[in-house]
Amino acid sequence: MNSKNLLEVTPKAHLLGLRFMVNRYKVSKVSGRSEASEERSTVKCLKDWSTWTMKKAKVITHYGFIPLVIIIGVNSEPKPTLSQLLTPF
Amino acid sequence: MASHVGLVPPTPAPYKDNEPKAAEKIDYLNLPCPIPYEEIHREALMSLKPELFEGMRFDFTKGLNQKFSLSHSVFMGPMEVPSQATETIKIPTAHYEFGANFLDPKLMLFGRILTDGRLNARMKCDLTDNLSLKANAQLTNEPHMSHGMVNFDYKGKDFRTQFQLGNGALFGASYIQSVTPHLSLGSEVFWAGQHRKSGIGLAARYNNDKMVATGQVASTGMVALSYVQKVSEKVSLASDFMYNYMSRDVTASFGYDYILRQCRLRGKIDSNGCTAAFLEERLNMGLNFILSAEIDHWKKDYKFGFGLTVGE
């Protein structure tokens, strides 16, 4: 009986408005969560990928820098010979 | 007749008066390019901070080419380990270092590797006439102890700018401009993500043929002033003052630099009670003998070193 009275008393527009708000809140919450999780996963993906490249670059530089300098030097003019590289004079 | 003779001389005189005036007038559109921001204290650092060492050092540089050279270096001696106690802890170490250098007008590569796996690499590449790329890295086998930094330098007609990127989210930028033929002013800004620090700094440098005076202030609390006077071709005197207004740390030092035909002698005395001297003696073409001494009376730390450098 009370509920019937309430329905009669509250204006329809107000009820409609409330329902609309509830619907909108529900929809935005769901889409917001998926958007935020998508953004977070792309950022995480980017971070992971950049960390992986930095680690690989560090290992490559650590092992390859000095050989690279030697290769560039040996190929510059006038070309030094291998024996010249190894002897101390 | 006498009046005619009297009238002739005045005409050349105005030209002579104008010439020195024209030389003194500063052409503000044609100022010289300033030296890079990080080298602003260059003369003072060269005179006051030689590479002091303790122990024995032997360096051998073998040039294979105009551009390419290999270097072998042996070091034996106590190395200081940073410690919290007031006493310095020294651990005797010996290591061998192999290095390769490549020097081109456009590209410079410098690499040094130690027996414990530490790599020290530097690269400088001129991408265009005005833009150059510099990179340096210290890589170790221990995790989280490696550092790397990349710089982009742009050189304009009378200014230089630099942008820096380092690992640990380090960003920096600096700008220096020639204001008069003798004075240049610059500023820098940096942001370190890992240590959550950022700062801004200003610097000024005044130099003429006989002296160089520089001043630098930073928001990290550091104030550094230096003055170098070139007393003659062979002798220059330098003094340096460093003050940190956050930690109330003051250091003043005074030193001399004698560049003679056969040797280079540098000595300095500090307000921390530390005196140091560094001698490089040229025994022969390509053969240098090095003596280094650093005496710290306050901390009772005495360091003496000797070495030999073979090769250019």
Side-chain angles (χ1 to χ4, degrees):
Chain A
M1 262 194 127
N2 282 341
S3 58
K4 239 193 195 170
N5 282 343
L6 266 171
L7 273 168
E8 279 169 5
V9 162
T10 49
K12 253 190 185 166
H14 186 57
L15 269 175
L16 274 170
L18 270 177
R19 204 174 293 145
F20 177 67
M21 288 285 288
V22 165
N23 282 343
R24 233 178 93 189
Y25 179 66
K26 264 196 201 155
V27 164
S28 69
K29 202 172 173 189
V30 164
S31 66
R33 198 179 286 162
S34 67
E35 266 175 28
S37 64
E38 254 179 52
E39 261 183 47
R40 255 179 276 144
S41 70
T42 43
V43 164
K44 191 167 175 291
C45 212
L46 207 65
K47 254 193 188 172
D48 285 343
W49 184 79
S50 68
T51 314
W52 180 87
T53 39
M54 279 288 121
K55 284 207 168 119
K56 292 295 172 205
K58 186 222 166 201
V59 172
I60 289 172
T61 316
H62 206 158
Y63 283 104
F65 189 75
I66 299 256
L68 173 77
V69 177
I70 292 177
I71 286 172
I72 292 180
V74 163
N75 286 334
S76 67
E77 293 299 326
K79 283 203 169 74
T81 61
L82 191 64
S83 60
Q84 269 183 317
L85 254 138
L86 297 173
T87 55
F89 52 84
Chain B
M1 310 287 160
S3 60
H4 280 286
V5 168
L7 279 169
V8 168
T11 34
Y15 288 129
K16 276 195 193 147
D17 271 345
N18 281 339
E19 269 175 24
K21 274 191 200 155
E24 278 168 18
K25 183 173 184 288
I26 299 170
D27 185 3
Y28 280 102
L29 296 171
N30 244 350
L31 294 172
C33 199
I35 66 165
Y37 188 89
E38 63 267 13
E39 287 177 32
I40 208 164
H41 296 286
R42 174 178 63 185
E43 279 82 4
L45 277 175
M46 279 199 317
S47 297
L48 292 171
K49 294 195 167 58
E51 283 176 13
L52 300 165
F53 62 96
E54 181 176 15
M56 190 216 75
R57 204 177 96 179
F58 177 74
D59 291 326
F60 173 56
T61 306
K62 176 158 189 230
L64 295 166
N65 219 344
Q66 263 302 57
K67 305 178 183 180
F68 179 53
S69 59
L70 294 174
S71 89
H72 307 268
S73 167
V74 176
F75 174 79
M76 292 182 214
M79 292 279 278
E80 252 181 51
V81 171
S83 74
Q84 303 297 327
T86 48
E87 293 240 329
T88 45
I89 299 177
K90 293 192 192 178
I91 297 180
T93 49
H95 59 69
Y96 163 73
E97 189 183 53
F98 173 72
N101 314 335
F102 180 75
L103 228 77
D104 203 31
K106 288 220 157 193
L107 176 67
M108 181 204 92
L109 295 168
F110 175 93
R112 293 273 182 274
I113 187 150
L114 280 128
T115 40
D116 54 10
R118 271 184 289 163
L119 172 73
N120 190 351
R122 284 210 317 251
M123 177 192 88
K124 178 173 183 291
C125 177
D126 288 336
L127 300 169
T128 73
D129 261 346
N130 291 334
L131 182 65
S132 79
L133 167 70
K134 287 199 293 201
N136 75 36
Q138 276 112 38
L139 304 176
T140 62
N141 280 329
E142 291 162 44
H144 304 298
M145 294 286 277
S146 310
H147 306 287
M149 186 129 75
V150 175
N151 297 354
F152 292 95
D153 295 322
Y154 181 77
K155 183 174 77 162
K157 195 152 166 290
D158 57 1
F159 70 91
R160 278 187 205 250
T161 66
Q162 185 189 75
F163 182 66
Q164 253 180 14
L165 281 168
N167 81 327
L170 174 71
F171 298 98
S174 75
Y175 177 80
I176 184 163
Q177 163 92 45
S178 272
V179 172
T180 75
H182 298 297
L183 177 68
S184 48
L185 303 172
S187 78
E188 70 165 346
V189 73
F190 74 90
W191 188 76
Q194 223 169 41
H195 304 277
R196 300 271 190 270
K197 267 195 227 170
S198 69
I200 188 166
L202 300 167
R205 180 187 156 103
Y206 181 84
N207 73 327
N208 63 23
D209 289 334
K210 289 265 168 194
M211 54 80 105
V212 176
T214 67
Q216 191 172 14
V217 183
S219 71
T220 51
M222 179 199 73
V223 174
L225 307 167
S226 81
Y227 180 77
V228 179
Q229 171 91 27
K230 193 170 164 183
V231 173
S232 79
E233 278 297 319
K234 301 185 177 184
V235 180
S236 61
L237 300 173
S239 68
D240 176 87
F241 176 79
M242 187 121 74
Y243 174 53
N244 192 328
Y245 56 79
M246 303 273 183
S247 65
R248 303 271 176 209
D249 225 352
V250 180
T251 306
S253 62
F254 172 75
Y256 62 86
D257 187 352
Y258 288 173
I259 303 180
L260 307 171
R261 233 176 334 125
Q262 301 282 61
C263 77
R264 181 172 184 185
L265 176 62
R266 287 176 267 186
K268 82 158 205 264
I269 182 161
D270 228 332
S271 67
N272 295 333
C274 184
T275 57
F278 191 81
L279 169 71
E280 288 162 284
E281 172 96 27
R282 206 188 81 152
L283 298 176
N284 207 344
M285 177 69 196
L287 191 66
N288 284 347
F289 179 61
I290 306 176
L291 282 175
S292 152
E294 189 183 354
I295 300 175
D296 194 339
H297 294 287
W298 219 251
K299 289 193 225 157
K300 298 221 189 295
D301 186 16
Y302 313 112
K303 295 191 202 157
F304 298 97
F306 68 96
L308 203 62
T309 304
V310 183
E312 305 83 41

